[in-house]
Amino acid sequence: MPTMFEPIDISGMVVPNRFVRSATNDRQAEVSGRVTDGFIAVYEKLAAGGVGMIITGHAFIKWNGKASVTMMGAHSDDLIPDMKRLVDAVHKYESKIVMQINHAGRQTSSSVLGESAVAPSAVYSPLFNETPRALTGEEIEELITAYAATARRAVSAGFDGVQLHGAHGYLISQFISPYTNKREDEWGGSPENRMRFL
């Protein structure tokens, strides 16, 4: 029987042990989304302490998907060198690092974004006391491309994997839920259509 201290192979990624730091929003990035020295120090400490796999707090894929002011960004190629600094700090040890990527959808506010939040449908958010703007079909396609581009940036920076955040009421789960997805096009209605974005 394997123990917590034994390596595990996850689709070719060999993790030195079974200790995983799950994604937690660290809120230590610059307003631009750029990681800071303090941000990197947190991850380096986790790796030095022997955590086998570290999953970053969710990184936003597009500016209008930012959930908090100091959330990590991965929406621009300009951020790759600093993301690489983060990866290099973790890779000094045996640890693996996975970037969790996300779009907040309606789980944010205009005070964070400087504009209205977007979502599958214009369903009022009691958490933020705002109604988001419904995405157009073209914007949905652009977001799918943005997820792919963000994953490419993570790979370019040397991350060992990418995790899509599909829970906690963020954009992917907003598409899946009939409560927040009232669309009548190919992105809404049936469970198959609501799953299409994911």
Side-chain angles (χ1 to χ4, degrees):
M1 177 176 208
T3 70
M4 292 294 292
F5 298 95
E6 291 180 6
I8 184 170
D9 186 316
I10 304 172
S11 297
M13 176 176 61
V14 179
V15 180
N17 57 51
R18 314 297 173 99
F19 292 94
V20 177
R21 187 273 202 160
S22 187
T24 304
N25 188 357
D26 306 290
R27 296 183 185 208
Q28 292 194 55
E30 293 178 0
V31 173
S32 66
R34 190 175 303 280
V35 298
T36 61
D37 290 342
F39 189 106
I40 292 169
V42 169
Y43 286 81
E44 186 167 3
K45 192 174 282 190
L46 288 165
V51 177
M53 182 167 68
I54 303 165
I55 304 171
T56 68
H58 59 171
F60 61 94
I61 63 154
K62 197 168 181 180
W63 187 259
N64 68 358
K66 191 174 181 179
S68 60
V69 174
T70 51
M71 180 181 179
M72 177 183 177
H75 59 293
S76 168
D77 287 353
D78 179 54
L79 301 172
I80 293 173
D82 289 297
M83 292 189 297
K84 185 169 181 359
R85 286 178 50 226
L86 171 61
V87 169
D88 290 346
V90 169
H91 283 171
K92 286 195 293 190
Y93 307 91
E94 291 184 26
S95 300
K96 302 297 183 187
I97 184 165
V98 173
M99 179 186 283
Q100 184 184 78
I101 63 176
N102 191 26
H103 189 289
R106 71 198 281 268
Q107 289 280 84
T108 188
S109 70
S110 56
S111 64
V112 169
L113 302 177
E115 60 185 71
S116 293
V118 295
S121 302
V123 176
Y124 172 75
S125 170
L127 182 63
F128 293 99
N129 194 29
E130 293 181 15
T131 300
R133 179 179 61 77
L135 290 158
T136 66
E138 184 178 342
E139 287 173 318
I140 293 169
E141 296 285 355
E142 288 170 1
L143 282 169
I144 292 168
T145 300
Y147 270 97
T150 301
R152 178 193 52 79
R153 287 183 199 101
V155 171
S156 295
F159 282 86
D160 299 293
V162 175
Q163 181 185 72
L164 297 178
H165 195 334
H168 304 156
Y170 292 118
L171 188 64
I172 289 174
S173 62
Q174 290 166 31
F175 268 96
I176 295 168
S177 172
Y179 175 75
T180 49
N181 184 346
K182 308 293 187 186
R183 301 180 74 92
E184 297 179 355
D185 59 7
E186 68 269 32
W187 304 103
S190 69
E192 293 79 15
N193 281 1
R194 295 196 317 271
M195 289 287 290
R196 190 182 309 276
F197 181 73
L198 174 59

